[in-house]
Amino acid sequence: MTLQELARRSVDLHVYSKDTEDTILRVARLFEERSGVKQLEDIGPESLLRFKTSTLSGAKEVTFNGYLGHLKALGSFAEEEKIVAENPFKKQRAAPKTIAPPKTVDQSTFRSAFWYLARNPTEFKPSWFWKTVMKTIYYTGIRRRQLVTIKLKDLDFENGTLCASAEGSKTRREWLIPLHPKAERVFKNLIVMSELATGRELRPNDYLFVIRRFNKRYAVNSINPEQMQREQITGFFKRLSGKIDARIGAHRLRHTTATKLCNPNEGGADISVTQDLLGHVQLATTRMYVHTNLDNMRKAVNNLPEIENL
């Protein structure tokens, strides 16, 4: 059996999101192309080294490690199905990661972004909509794919919750997110503006974030005309980053939310609470989102109880 055949079998037998399915199939194809090996029984140290060398020649360590995670999962699946005696990727170590700047958005960048949108209302039409996008991601920690799938029925103002539905979930799960007061206000405003734009009350299954209601220049989603394309969100952040000369994006906002929640001087939440809010299955994934700084580490160290005479 080839690795791509194994990947297809795994995708067919498991419940993954469309994006995860595409990633698994793509990683299997890339491994075969870069290693020169297709059959599972032929995968060994030499082919793994060729794949690693080829991948790291044009990508960062985190990309290779992400690929390796999928390959190890495929190897475990093959082992469970008794297709191979041992996971061929099991002993391959992750590439050492260089220390990268935190993927967070600081207050100065937030101010620059909102200032630019306020001063240039016609450049990102309508600017209030894009402010709503930014605030929603920040106050809820949801992904782009989840934002574009939010429906009216997902909001429960009486109990102050947003249901992050399985439709937009990377792991095909759903969970409840408590609504920050400011998030509740922007949602209510979005509903009012949407009803004014459509000339009717929104129905429970209506999507909330649909940019074409307010600006027809945006392309129609060919897969689901009623739903906004998440690439439109990516495009907005890319253009805005260029205008304010600072990096800001949906994923960075999500990292920022996680970091602030776990910061003892801000959210002060336990990391497991942050894990539940972000919808992560593994705590290790949440740890990748939380960026500590030296001052916080110093404060934690200084708070250690003293041990007499030592």
Side-chain angles (χ1 to χ4, degrees):
M1 177 180 283
T2 68
L3 184 61
Q4 289 196 68
E5 289 170 345
L6 176 68
R8 171 50 63 186
R9 181 168 176 176
S10 175
V11 164
D12 290 342
L13 291 178
H14 293 91
V15 180
Y16 295 123
S17 68
K18 180 64 168 58
D19 284 348
T20 302
E21 289 181 358
D22 291 344
T23 299
I24 292 171
L25 296 174
R26 182 165 59 87
V27 170
R29 175 178 56 79
L30 288 175
F31 182 86
E32 290 186 3
E33 291 175 353
R34 295 174 181 178
S35 70
V37 170
K38 293 186 176 183
Q39 298 297 325
L40 293 175
E41 61 268 24
D42 294 333
I43 297 173
E46 295 81 8
S47 57
L48 286 167
L49 180 59
R50 286 195 296 272
F51 174 70
K52 179 179 179 180
T53 303
S54 176
T55 300
L56 291 177
S57 67
K60 295 181 179 179
E61 294 86 350
V62 66
T63 300
F64 170 77
N65 293 341
Y67 290 169
L68 182 60
H70 286 295
L71 292 171
K72 286 186 174 182
L74 284 174
S76 295
F77 172 68
E79 199 172 8
E80 292 167 4
E81 294 289 303
K82 301 193 183 329
I83 298 171
V84 295
E86 184 180 17
N87 184 343
F89 304 103
K90 184 178 181 179
K91 296 180 180 179
Q92 176 62 53
R93 293 184 177 181
K97 292 185 291 185
T98 56
I99 298 176
K103 293 182 179 179
T104 55
V105 181
D106 58 27
Q107 288 300 112
S108 174
T109 301
F110 275 123
R111 284 194 295 270
S112 296
F114 285 115
W115 181 89
Y116 191 89
L117 290 173
R119 292 298 182 92
N120 301 274
T122 60
E123 190 161 350
F124 297 94
K125 295 177 63 176
S127 60
W128 67 263
F129 177 86
W130 293 112
K131 289 179 184 178
T132 299
V133 168
M134 291 171 62
K135 291 177 181 179
T136 299
I137 295 174
Y138 173 72
Y139 285 119
T140 64
I142 60 175
R143 297 180 174 92
R144 291 175 311 152
R145 73 178 73 193
Q146 291 172 303
L147 183 134
V148 299
T149 59
I150 294 175
K151 297 179 179 179
L152 181 62
K153 67 179 182 181
D154 295 328
L155 287 168
D156 182 351
F157 291 123
E158 184 176 346
N159 293 303
T161 60
L162 165 68
C163 177
S165 68
E167 180 183 357
S169 170
K170 188 176 182 180
T171 53
R172 306 301 293 169
R173 300 182 305 114
E174 69 176 35
W175 64 94
L176 292 179
I177 297 173
L179 284 178
H180 188 285
K182 288 193 175 181
E184 185 171 326
R185 285 200 290 272
V186 296
F187 273 126
K188 287 181 176 178
N189 181 66
L190 177 59
I191 292 169
V192 170
M193 298 299 285
S194 296
E195 291 180 340
L196 288 173
T198 58
R200 63 170 176 82
E201 289 188 358
L202 291 185
R203 304 182 185 97
N205 281 316
D206 282 338
Y207 292 108
L208 291 187
F209 288 88
V210 184
I211 183 60
R212 277 185 55 81
R213 285 184 185 139
F214 314 104
N215 189 339
K216 299 298 183 184
R217 294 182 63 183
Y218 283 89
V220 177
N221 188 333
S222 59
I223 299 175
N224 185 350
E226 300 299 319
Q227 188 181 79
M228 182 177 174
Q229 299 178 60
R230 60 189 181 195
E231 289 79 13
Q232 291 167 338
I233 297 175
T234 302
F236 158 72
F237 280 119
K238 186 175 181 179
R239 288 175 56 209
L240 181 61
S241 295
K243 296 295 182 181
I244 65 175
D245 195 26
R247 299 186 69 177
I248 185 169
H251 203 60
R252 284 180 179 270
L253 289 177
R254 188 167 152 86
H255 274 256
T256 304
T257 300
T259 298
K260 288 185 176 295
L261 281 172
C262 289
N263 187 330
N265 297 320
E266 295 178 288
D270 183 88
I271 193 169
S272 61
V273 173
T274 304
Q275 176 190 5
D276 291 340
L277 181 72
L278 298 184
H280 288 151
V281 175
Q282 302 293 334
L283 186 61
T285 306
T286 309
R287 293 184 186 278
M288 294 170 62
Y289 279 68
V290 178
H291 305 279
T292 57
N293 59 45
L294 187 59
D295 288 338
N296 288 337
M297 287 190 284
R298 190 188 309 281
K299 181 178 179 180
V301 170
N302 290 343
N303 284 337
L304 284 171
E306 293 185 9
I307 300 176
E308 196 70 26
N309 299 325
L310 289 179

